[in-house]
Protein backbone atom coordinates (compact mmCIF):
# COMPACT_ATOMS: atom_id res chain seq x y z
CA UNK A 1 0.00 0.00 0.00
CA UNK A 2 1.45 3.34 -1.03
CA UNK A 3 0.65 7.04 -0.65
CA UNK A 4 2.82 10.13 -0.81
CA UNK A 5 3.65 9.70 2.89
CA UNK A 6 3.49 5.91 3.42
CA UNK A 7 4.83 2.79 1.73
CA UNK A 8 3.74 -0.23 3.74
CA UNK A 9 3.89 -3.96 3.15
CA UNK A 10 1.26 -6.21 4.72
CA UNK A 11 1.48 -9.98 4.88
CA UNK A 12 -1.35 -12.43 4.26
CA UNK A 13 -1.07 -13.80 7.79
CA UNK A 14 -4.01 -13.21 10.17
CA UNK A 15 -1.93 -10.53 11.91
CA UNK A 16 -1.05 -8.89 8.60
CA UNK A 17 -4.65 -8.88 7.39
CA UNK A 18 -5.78 -7.35 10.66
CA UNK A 19 -3.10 -4.65 10.40
CA UNK A 20 -4.20 -3.95 6.82
CA UNK A 21 -7.81 -3.46 7.92
CA UNK A 22 -6.74 -1.25 10.83
CA UNK A 23 -4.74 0.97 8.49
CA UNK A 24 -7.63 1.31 6.06
CA UNK A 25 -9.99 2.13 8.94
CA UNK A 26 -7.58 4.84 10.12
CA UNK A 27 -7.77 6.41 6.67
CA UNK A 28 -11.57 6.33 6.77
CA UNK A 29 -11.56 7.97 10.20
CA UNK A 30 -9.16 10.77 9.25
CA UNK A 31 -10.04 11.49 5.62
CA UNK A 32 -12.38 14.40 6.34
CA UNK A 33 -9.78 16.14 8.49
CA UNK A 34 -7.86 17.03 5.34
CA UNK A 35 -4.64 15.45 6.60
CA UNK A 36 -4.41 13.33 3.43
CA UNK A 37 -5.97 15.82 1.05
CA UNK A 38 -4.83 15.20 -2.53
CA UNK A 39 -2.80 12.10 -1.78
CA UNK A 40 -3.17 9.11 -4.08
CA UNK A 41 -3.74 5.76 -2.40
CA UNK A 42 -2.51 2.76 -4.39
CA UNK A 43 -2.93 -0.84 -3.30
CA UNK A 44 -0.86 -3.56 -4.96
CA UNK A 45 -1.04 -7.33 -4.73
CA UNK A 46 2.52 -8.65 -4.67
CA UNK A 47 3.17 -12.41 -4.93
CA UNK A 48 5.13 -13.59 -1.88
CA UNK A 49 7.64 -15.45 -4.07
CA UNK A 50 8.79 -12.09 -5.46
CA UNK A 51 9.86 -10.98 -2.00
CA UNK A 52 13.13 -12.82 -1.48
CA UNK A 53 13.98 -11.86 2.09
CA UNK A 54 11.60 -10.45 4.65
CA UNK A 55 14.46 -9.48 6.94
CA UNK A 56 15.47 -6.76 4.47
CA UNK A 57 12.37 -4.80 5.49
CA UNK A 58 11.90 -2.87 8.73
CA UNK A 59 9.04 -4.28 10.81
CA UNK A 60 6.78 -1.61 12.32
CA UNK A 61 5.55 -3.21 15.51
CA UNK A 62 3.02 -0.46 16.25
CA UNK A 63 1.38 -0.96 12.84
CA UNK A 64 1.86 -4.72 12.43
CA UNK A 65 3.38 -4.36 8.98
CA UNK A 66 6.66 -3.72 7.18
CA UNK A 67 8.14 -0.51 5.87
CA UNK A 68 8.42 -1.08 2.14
CA UNK A 69 11.46 0.16 0.28
CA UNK A 70 12.50 0.20 -3.31
CA UNK A 71 10.10 -0.11 -6.22
CA UNK A 72 8.12 -3.08 -4.95
CA UNK A 73 4.99 -2.04 -6.81
CA UNK A 74 6.71 -2.86 -10.10
CA UNK A 75 6.30 -6.53 -9.12
CA UNK A 76 2.69 -6.12 -8.06
CA UNK A 77 -0.73 -5.84 -9.59
CA UNK A 78 -2.59 -2.61 -8.94
CA UNK A 79 -5.88 -3.53 -7.23
CA UNK A 80 -7.09 -0.11 -6.12
CA UNK A 81 -6.27 3.53 -6.79
CA UNK A 82 -8.02 6.58 -5.38
CA UNK A 83 -7.23 10.24 -4.86
CA UNK A 84 -8.10 11.00 -1.24
CA UNK A 85 -10.18 14.13 -0.82
CA UNK A 86 -11.65 15.69 2.30
CA UNK A 87 -15.25 15.47 1.18
CA UNK A 88 -18.17 13.09 1.89
CA UNK A 89 -18.26 11.68 -1.65
CA UNK A 90 -14.61 10.62 -1.49
CA UNK A 91 -15.16 9.00 1.91
CA UNK A 92 -18.21 7.15 0.62
CA UNK A 93 -16.27 5.85 -2.37
CA UNK A 94 -13.42 4.70 -0.15
CA UNK A 95 -15.66 2.88 2.32
CA UNK A 96 -17.64 1.15 -0.43
CA UNK A 97 -14.46 0.06 -2.23
CA UNK A 98 -13.15 -1.62 0.92
CA UNK A 99 -16.47 -2.92 2.26
CA UNK A 100 -15.29 -6.52 1.56
CA UNK A 101 -12.52 -5.83 4.09
CA UNK A 102 -15.17 -4.83 6.68
CA UNK A 103 -14.23 -1.14 6.45
CA UNK A 104 -17.06 1.11 7.60
CA UNK A 105 -17.80 4.81 7.88
CA UNK A 106 -17.11 5.88 11.49
CA UNK A 107 -20.07 7.50 13.25
CA UNK A 108 -18.11 10.68 13.95
CA UNK A 109 -17.11 11.03 10.30
CA UNK A 110 -20.73 10.37 9.28
CA UNK A 111 -22.00 13.07 11.65
CA UNK A 112 -19.40 15.56 10.46
CA UNK A 113 -20.09 14.84 6.78
CA UNK A 114 -23.82 15.29 7.38
CA UNK A 115 -23.23 18.64 9.09
CA UNK A 116 -21.07 19.95 6.25
CA UNK A 117 -23.91 19.19 3.83
CA UNK A 118 -26.64 20.78 5.98
CA UNK A 119 -26.88 23.90 3.81
CA UNK A 120 -28.61 22.04 1.00
CA UNK A 121 -30.66 18.96 0.14
CA UNK A 122 -27.33 17.09 -0.17
CA UNK A 123 -27.61 16.29 3.54
CA UNK A 124 -30.74 14.22 2.95
CA UNK A 125 -29.19 12.48 -0.08
CA UNK A 126 -26.07 11.55 1.88
CA UNK A 127 -27.97 10.27 4.91
CA UNK A 128 -30.39 8.27 2.77
CA UNK A 129 -27.53 6.47 1.04
CA UNK A 130 -25.70 5.68 4.29
CA UNK A 131 -28.64 4.76 6.53
CA UNK A 132 -26.85 5.46 9.81
CA UNK A 133 -28.21 7.14 12.90
CA UNK A 134 -27.41 10.86 12.95
CA UNK A 135 -26.28 11.94 16.41
CA UNK A 136 -27.84 15.39 16.02
CA UNK A 137 -31.32 14.38 14.87
CA UNK A 138 -33.00 16.18 17.78
CA UNK A 139 -31.32 19.51 17.02
CA UNK A 140 -32.59 19.42 13.43
CA UNK A 141 -36.00 17.82 13.94
CA UNK A 142 -38.05 21.03 13.70
CA UNK A 143 -36.20 22.67 10.83
CA UNK A 144 -36.08 19.39 8.86
CA UNK A 145 -39.85 19.10 9.25
CA UNK A 146 -40.29 22.66 8.01
CA UNK A 147 -38.03 21.98 5.02
CA UNK A 148 -39.93 18.84 4.07
CA UNK A 149 -43.27 20.70 4.19
CA UNK A 150 -42.08 23.83 2.39
CA UNK A 151 -43.13 24.17 -1.23
CA UNK A 152 -41.72 27.63 -1.91
CA UNK A 153 -38.20 27.59 -3.34
CA UNK A 154 -37.17 30.92 -1.80
CA UNK A 155 -38.42 29.97 1.65
CA UNK A 156 -36.74 26.60 1.37
CA UNK A 157 -33.46 28.29 0.44
CA UNK A 158 -33.75 30.40 3.60
CA UNK A 159 -34.41 27.30 5.71
CA UNK A 160 -31.37 25.57 4.24
CA UNK A 161 -29.20 28.56 5.12
CA UNK A 162 -30.54 28.53 8.67
CA UNK A 163 -29.83 24.82 8.94
CA UNK A 164 -26.32 25.37 7.62
CA UNK A 165 -25.65 27.98 10.30
CA UNK A 166 -26.86 25.60 13.03
CA UNK A 167 -24.55 22.93 11.63
CA UNK A 168 -21.63 25.36 11.50
CA UNK A 169 -22.09 26.18 15.20
CA UNK A 170 -22.13 22.47 16.08
CA UNK A 171 -18.96 21.83 14.08
CA UNK A 172 -17.16 24.67 15.81
CA UNK A 173 -18.23 23.36 19.20
CA UNK A 174 -17.95 19.57 18.81
CA UNK A 175 -15.41 18.90 16.04
CA UNK A 176 -12.17 20.72 16.86
CA UNK A 177 -10.07 18.08 15.07
CA UNK A 178 -11.57 19.20 11.76
CA UNK A 179 -10.99 22.93 12.22
CA UNK A 180 -8.15 22.94 9.67
CA UNK A 181 -10.22 21.23 6.99
CA UNK A 182 -10.54 24.30 4.80
CA UNK A 183 -12.01 22.28 1.96
CA UNK A 184 -15.12 21.53 3.98
CA UNK A 185 -15.32 24.98 5.54
CA UNK A 186 -15.81 26.38 2.08
CA UNK A 187 -18.71 23.99 1.48
CA UNK A 188 -20.51 24.33 4.78
CA UNK A 189 -23.33 26.57 3.53
CA UNK A 190 -23.63 26.06 -0.24
CA UNK A 191 -26.11 28.19 -2.12
CA UNK A 192 -29.39 26.49 -2.90
CA UNK A 193 -29.94 26.66 -6.68
CA UNK A 194 -32.38 29.39 -7.63
CA UNK A 195 -35.07 28.87 -10.22
CA UNK A 196 -34.30 30.91 -13.31
CA UNK A 197 -36.90 32.21 -15.72
CA UNK A 198 -36.41 31.09 -19.28
CA UNK A 199 -37.56 33.07 -22.28
CA UNK A 200 -39.74 31.47 -24.93
CA UNK A 201 -37.76 29.43 -27.37
CA UNK A 202 -34.77 28.91 -25.02
Amino acid sequence: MKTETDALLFTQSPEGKNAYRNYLQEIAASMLSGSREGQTLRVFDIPANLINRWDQFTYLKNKGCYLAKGNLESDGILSHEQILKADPASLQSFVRSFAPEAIYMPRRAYDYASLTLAGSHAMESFQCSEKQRFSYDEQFKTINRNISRCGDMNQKATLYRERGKIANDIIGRDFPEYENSQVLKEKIIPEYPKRQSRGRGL
Side-chain angles (χ1 to χ4, degrees), residues 31 33-40 83-87 181 183:
M31 189 180 297
S33 71
S35 60
R36 295 178 180 273
E37 175 68 25
Q39 292 190 18
T40 300
I83 296 175
L84 304 178
K85 298 179 180 179
D87 63 59
S181 183
V183 174

Side-chain angles (χ1 to χ4, degrees), residues 167-191:
N168 204 16
D169 289 341
I170 293 173
I171 288 175
R173 183 191 71 208
D174 294 352
F175 295 85
E177 70 270 33
Y178 293 120
E179 64 180 351
N180 294 321
S181 183
Q182 191 62 39
V183 174
L184 287 175
K185 280 185 177 181
E186 293 169 357
K187 296 179 180 179
I188 186 64
I189 309 179
E191 286 294 325

Side-chain angles (χ1 to χ4, degrees), residues 1 6 8 10 19-27 36:
M1 182 178 296
D6 295 317
L8 304 174
F10 299 87
Y20 175 65
R21 285 191 294 270
N22 287 342
Y23 183 74
L24 290 173
Q25 194 60 59
E26 286 178 9
I27 293 178
R36 295 178 180 273

